[in-house]
């Protein structure tokens, strides 16, 4: 969850590169940050609690003329030890000669710590990380080279780690290590940048090497060697990243989240481009072409993911069963991996993930592979671990998503899942006319999303002003839009800290109806569809108990508008595509409530963008 950056090269101010990189990674963790570099043959370390800007203020007056050509940095999301300066990274060994930054969790750190304490080591922090740096020192003392000492040490660690390590006596290199936590090395012109994800790198180079688990990289400014933990050389491919640096800036928007909400028309356009075959009522998905070979043997699909990605998978269950015509399950990745799931070589397990690095999703994918299932990824970050390990997949092409609350990735996940369902359906029970209807309407979705953004932004802001002091919210939806109720509630919870629950509208009378009184705003997704009339009854039940109803309805709606307290209108589309439109006002409502409350929507408390620990 932490962000790490290392730089070695010819820039006169390596710290600038590292601080810039940390800012791009701040969404990975933001409770404290630190940097280190070499000056006068000593490591200099600066750490601060809070945002990177606090750290930046502290280092801005350093005279860089005497500073080395390397620097490392870290932005922390605390696991072991509280949010304090001593617990912030980098961590330095007792001799002061080795320093490192770490992303991950060392499970056997207390045993190792005891062993090192017996040997006379002193520990200054409560972190698991300080053990690693002293373990490397101990192996160097035993006459091992820096490289061998790192390999010997990491072999003794259990848990997960992405590391960037520097040794004072060998300032021409940094060593990066990966086991369970992502590490990418940027191959620049006379410079190399190591980071936990590509956001910190793309400003300097688009050529990157992804380390796999159990690999180390010996990184010099003009040379990168990779090895496995047995010390054997490993040959790596260089990937070219297609993200533009502009997409990593907020532009004229006050927050990344708002920018990303408004980027959705373009993001969806990028997701469908070249993939829709209108005449055939079909789709072309190069990344899953080999699924064709199994299509008539498939017993079921299982979507796995966490948080918002899980809700996209839930939409997938409805869509795949309806238009794909195949049994479909959905599971939290964290539950799937530990509950001995019933999957077989005839089942397709689909890992859904924006980052492609979420630990629970990755491990669930690996579990599905161990069970021999067919696996695929629906992923945003190109070259990420899930994308690489899934075997086949669909990139959602949403572009970089920086806001911790996922928005454009969610809509694009749904779009990708709908295309996957058409792919399967057209080889099974979906006829050409139904296929054409879905495909031609999907083509219009970017325009409709644009329209929805423009028409619902003000009204959701007005509604936010009425309800920002509410302590609870209920979100109701049915069928395809039940997961949208859950997603609307999640958005509100994570950025506004208001308790919210999503419920299938008809389930309300089986319990949650007891919560309803005049203080309970109830957001109802009530656009036209097969169970529209049932939703009307559900709204009446809320009204009869004094609840305040905020309805999301179609523009030509007559009935629900009459019985609701607040109405947000959205354009019509076919029912299967309605979740893509209906989530837009819910994203905006959450955003406006959080900003009216003065909260930092891009970095909500306690959260991190990529959850790379279990
Ligand atoms: O990167 P992933 O899509 O795998 O992330 C999964 C969840 O951690 C993520 O969706 C999380 O729930 C977001 N904060 C939701 O806005």
């Amino acid at each position: 969850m932490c962000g790490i950056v290392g730089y070695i090269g010819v820039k006169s101010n390596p710290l600038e590169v590292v601080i810039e990189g940390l800012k791009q990674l701040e969404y990975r963790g933001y409770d404290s940050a630190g940097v280190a570099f070499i000056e006068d043959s000593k490591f200099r370390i600066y750490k601060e609690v809070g945002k990177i800007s606090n750290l930046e203020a502290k280092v801005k007056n350093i005279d860089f003329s005497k500073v080395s050509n390397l620097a490392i940095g870290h932005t922390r999301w605390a696991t072991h030890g509280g949010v304090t300066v001593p617990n912030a990274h980098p961590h330095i060994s007792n001799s002061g000669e080795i320093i490192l930054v770490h992303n991950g969790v060392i499970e056997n750190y207390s045993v190792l710590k005891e062993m090192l304490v017996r040997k006379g080591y002193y520990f200054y922090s409560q972190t698991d990380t300080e053990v690693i740096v002293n373990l490397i020192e101990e192996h160097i003392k035993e006459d091992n080279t820096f490289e061998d000492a790192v390999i010997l040490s990491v072999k003794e660690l259990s848990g997960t780690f992405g590391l960037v390590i520097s040794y004072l006596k060998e300032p021409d290199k940094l060593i990066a290590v990966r086991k369970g936590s992502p590490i990418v090395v940027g191959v620049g012109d006379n410079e190399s940048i190591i980071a936990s994800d590509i956001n910190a790198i793309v400003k300097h180079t688009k050529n990157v090497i992804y380390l796999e688990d159990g690999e180390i990289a010996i990184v010099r400014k003009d040379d990168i060697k990779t090895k496995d933990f047995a010390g054997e050389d490993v040959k790596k491919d260089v990937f070219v990243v297609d993200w533009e640096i502009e997409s990593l800036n907020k532009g004229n928007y006050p927050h990344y989240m708002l920018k990303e909400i408004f980027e959705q028309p373009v993001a969806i356009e990028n997701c469908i481009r070249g993939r829709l075959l209108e005449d055939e009522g079909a789709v072309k998905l190069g990344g899953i072409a080999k699924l064709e070979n199994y299509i008539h043997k498939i017993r079921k699909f299982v979507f796995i993911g966490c948080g918002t990605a899980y809700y996209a998978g839930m939409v997938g269950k409805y869509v795949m069963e309806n238009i794909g015509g195949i049994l479909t399950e959905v599971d939290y990745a964290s539950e799937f991996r530990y509950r001995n799931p019933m999957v077989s070589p005839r089942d397709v397990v689909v890992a859904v993930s924006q980052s492609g690095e979420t630990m629970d999703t990755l491990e669930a994918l690996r579990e599905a592979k161990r069970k021999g299932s067919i696996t695929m990824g629906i992923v945003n970050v190109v070259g990420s671990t899930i994308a690489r390990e899934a075997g086949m997949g669909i990139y959602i092409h949403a572009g970089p998503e920086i806001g911790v609350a996922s928005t454009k990735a969610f809509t694009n996940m749904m779009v990708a899942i709908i295309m996957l369902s058409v792919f399967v359906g057209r080889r099974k029970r979906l006829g050409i006319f139904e296929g054409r209807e879905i495909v031609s309407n999907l083509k219009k979705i970017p325009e409709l999303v644009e329209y929805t953004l423009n028409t619902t932004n003000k009204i959701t802001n007005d509604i936010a002003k009425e309800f920002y002091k509410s302590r609870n919210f209920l979100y109701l939806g049915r069928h395809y839009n039940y997961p949208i109720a859950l997603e609307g509630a999640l958005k509100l919870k994570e950025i506004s800290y208001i308790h919210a629950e999503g419920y299938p509208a008809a389930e309300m009378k089986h319990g949650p109806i007891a919560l309803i009184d005049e203080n309970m705003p109830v957001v109802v997704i009530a656009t036209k569809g097969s169970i529209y009339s049932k939703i009307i009854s559900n709204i009446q039940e809320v009204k009869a108990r004094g609840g305040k109803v905020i309805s999301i309805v179609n523009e030509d709606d007559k009935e629900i508008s009459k019985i609701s307290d607040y109405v947000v209108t959205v354009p019509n589309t076919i029912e299967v595509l309605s979740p893509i439109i209906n989530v837009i006002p819910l994203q905006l409502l959450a955003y406006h409530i959080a900003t009216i409350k003065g909260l930092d929507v891009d970095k909500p408390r306690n959260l991190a963008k990529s959850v790379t620990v279990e």
Side-chain angles (χ1 to χ4, degrees):
M1 327 261 285
C2 308
I4 57 184
V5 186
Y7 174 87
I8 185 157
V10 290
K11 287 217 166 58
S12 57
N13 184 351
L15 212 49
E16 207 170 84
V17 181
V18 169
I19 297 259
E20 265 306 308
L22 290 180
K23 282 192 195 160
Q24 296 295 350
L25 299 181
E26 199 173 11
Y27 63 86
R28 295 184 70 96
Y30 33 84
D31 58 41
S32 49
V35 287
F37 50 88
I38 300 172
E39 188 184 29
D40 295 333
S41 306
K42 274 200 198 92
F43 282 121
R44 292 279 303 271
I45 307 172
Y46 289 84
K47 304 181 188 187
E48 270 297 309
V49 164
K51 305 235 161 105
I52 312 278
S53 46
N54 299 357
L55 177 70
E56 201 177 12
K58 203 166 174 184
V59 298
K60 75 169 188 281
N61 294 326
I62 294 174
D63 171 10
F64 285 101
S65 56
K66 294 187 285 170
V67 166
S68 64
N69 58 337
L70 69 81
I72 60 174
H74 188 271
T75 174
R76 181 167 186 248
W77 187 86
T79 56
H80 293 66
V83 179
T84 61
V85 168
N87 287 339
H89 299 216
H91 288 284
I92 191 160
S93 67
N94 278 192
S95 68
E97 290 186 341
I98 301 150
I99 197 157
L100 61 76
V101 285
H102 168 215
N103 173 25
V105 172
I106 305 303
E107 286 159 3
N108 60 340
Y109 84 100
S110 51
V111 182
L112 295 168
K113 188 168 176 176
E114 273 169 36
M115 180 272 287
L116 290 164
V117 168
R118 278 197 301 276
K119 287 182 187 271
Y121 284 86
Y122 186 81
F123 286 82
Y124 298 86
S125 77
Q126 300 153 317
T127 63
D128 48 347
T129 305
E130 214 184 341
V131 160
I132 316 172
V133 75
N134 285 313
L135 197 58
I136 298 170
E137 174 158 305
E138 183 59 17
H139 284 302
I140 287 183
K141 275 191 200 158
E142 290 161 359
D143 256 359
N144 292 294
T145 61
F146 176 31
E147 197 179 303
D148 288 346
V150 169
I151 292 178
L152 286 168
S153 303
V154 295
K155 286 209 273 201
E156 287 176 56
L157 304 176
S158 56
T160 56
F161 42 90
L163 303 168
V164 180
I165 314 158
S166 172
Y167 181 32
L168 206 52
K169 292 188 177 158
E170 298 185 21
D172 63 325
K173 63 169 83 92
L174 291 170
I175 294 187
V177 186
R178 170 183 174 144
K179 191 186 153 225
S181 302
I183 288 282
V184 195
V185 186
V187 187
D189 183 11
N190 236 346
E191 61 184 8
S192 304
I193 306 113
I194 308 163
S196 38
D197 73 51
I198 52 176
N199 293 10
I201 296 176
V202 287
K203 186 174 175 192
H204 307 282
T205 174
K206 291 191 174 166
N207 299 327
V208 300
I209 293 170
Y210 292 96
L211 289 196
E212 300 294 340
D213 280 352
E215 289 180 353
I216 79 163
I218 299 101
V219 180
R220 293 183 169 82
K221 67 178 188 315
D222 50 3
D223 179 51
I224 295 155
K225 280 199 175 42
T226 40
K227 298 193 167 196
D228 59 23
F229 285 5
E232 298 297 323
D233 290 343
V234 179
K235 198 171 156 4
K236 303 291 294 180
D237 291 331
V238 177
F239 281 76
V240 181
V241 180
D242 62 357
W243 285 2
E244 294 304 327
I245 183 66
E246 298 74 54
S247 53
L248 296 171
N249 299 325
K250 277 193 280 213
N252 292 328
Y253 289 91
H255 297 102
Y256 281 109
M257 183 180 175
L258 191 64
K259 176 180 177 241
E260 288 159 8
I261 289 173
F262 274 85
E263 275 173 353
Q264 287 175 112
V266 174
I268 297 171
E269 194 74 64
N270 290 339
C271 186
I272 59 178
R273 182 171 303 114
R275 289 168 160 176
L276 304 182
L277 307 172
E278 271 194 277
D279 287 349
E280 294 155 52
V283 296
K284 190 172 82 192
L285 296 168
I288 58 160
K290 59 184 178 205
L291 193 65
E292 189 106 46
N293 305 331
Y294 317 104
I295 210 102
H296 293 289
K297 297 191 197 120
I298 298 172
R299 207 174 55 133
K300 67 176 177 190
F301 272 83
V302 185
F303 289 99
I304 53 170
C306 301
T308 288
Y310 169 76
Y311 296 145
M314 263 181 102
V315 173
K317 174 176 167 56
Y318 287 92
V319 178
M320 185 60 89
E321 288 191 342
N322 263 351
I323 67 176
I326 193 157
L327 173 70
T328 304
E329 293 172 0
V330 55
D331 213 340
Y332 282 112
S334 52
E335 289 298 311
F336 178 92
R337 58 179 292 208
Y338 285 121
R339 71 167 173 79
N340 196 11
M342 296 277 291
V343 287
S344 75
R346 289 182 51 199
D347 302 326
V348 185
V349 176
V350 187
V352 186
S353 175
Q354 187 285 128
S355 60
E357 301 294 349
T358 299
M359 182 60 76
D360 284 321
T361 311
L362 175 60
E363 287 302 331
L365 174 76
R366 288 174 176 164
E367 180 63 16
K369 283 175 100 173
R370 277 190 285 269
K371 292 201 175 273
S373 303
I374 304 158
T375 56
M376 71 166 70
I378 292 191
V379 173
N380 191 32
V381 179
V382 176
S384 58
T385 312
I386 293 175
R388 294 200 310 279
E389 292 195 14
M392 61 179 141
I394 307 171
Y395 279 121
I396 64 170
H397 295 310
E401 191 181 67
I402 311 285
V404 166
S406 186
T407 52
K408 62 177 180 170
F410 178 64
T411 43
N412 274 26
M413 283 169 185
M414 291 193 286
V415 169
I417 287 171
I418 291 165
M419 290 193 292
L420 171 64
S421 306
V422 172
F423 181 95
V424 174
R426 287 294 284 122
R427 284 155 180 84
K428 292 177 88 69
R429 72 161 184 212
L430 191 70
I432 187 163
F433 296 111
E434 293 157 290
R436 274 188 192 151
E437 192 195 19
I438 298 168
V439 168
S440 60
N441 279 288
L442 195 49
K443 207 169 165 209
K444 293 182 200 143
I445 283 288
E447 208 181 299
L448 292 186
V449 169
E450 177 97 57
Y451 178 82
T452 309
L453 286 164
N454 294 332
T455 53
T456 62
N457 193 23
K458 175 164 185 323
I459 174 84
T460 49
N461 195 20
D462 292 344
I463 296 171
K465 286 181 195 148
E466 296 286 323
F467 289 105
Y468 73 98
K469 287 191 182 145
S470 298
R471 304 197 45 195
N472 300 287
F473 263 76
L474 204 55
Y475 285 72
L476 303 177
R478 296 189 73 162
H479 200 253
Y480 294 121
N481 285 298
Y482 162 44
I484 301 307
L486 294 169
E487 171 62 4
L490 176 63
K491 287 292 87 91
L492 189 69
K493 277 184 273 207
E494 65 182 336
I495 60 169
S496 76
Y497 318 147
I498 294 174
H499 169 247
E501 279 197 58
Y503 245 88
E507 270 296 301
M508 188 189 55
K509 56 184 174 296
H510 299 287
I513 200 160
L515 296 168
I516 291 175
D517 62 14
E518 62 286 357
N519 298 317
M520 176 67 90
V522 183
V523 179
V524 189
I525 303 152
T527 47
K528 294 273 168 57
S530 44
I531 42 174
Y532 176 76
S533 58
K534 307 275 181 219
I535 289 265
I536 298 181
S537 317
N538 302 140
I539 293 177
Q540 296 289 16
E541 289 154 14
V542 175
K543 288 298 298 170
R545 283 148 188 93
K548 295 276 175 294
V549 173
I550 303 160
S551 295
I552 313 296
V553 299
N554 286 127
E555 287 174 325
D556 57 356
D557 185 275
K558 304 262 173 340
E559 295 192 53
I560 290 181
S561 312
K562 277 190 255 158
I563 55 173
S564 306
D565 297 281
Y566 299 84
V567 172
V568 181
T569 57
V570 294
N572 293 62
T573 181
I574 55 172
E575 194 178 0
V576 68
L577 303 181
S578 64
I580 306 170
I581 303 292
N582 293 342
V583 76
I584 306 292
L586 305 192
Q587 295 169 340
L588 288 168
L589 181 64
Y591 173 79
H592 290 309
I593 290 179
T595 48
I596 292 168
K597 289 180 80 174
L599 299 171
D600 185 348
V601 295
D602 283 335
K603 299 188 198 87
R605 69 183 178 204
N606 304 338
L607 285 173
K609 179 77 179 159
S610 304
V611 184
T612 52
V613 294
E614 290 183 57

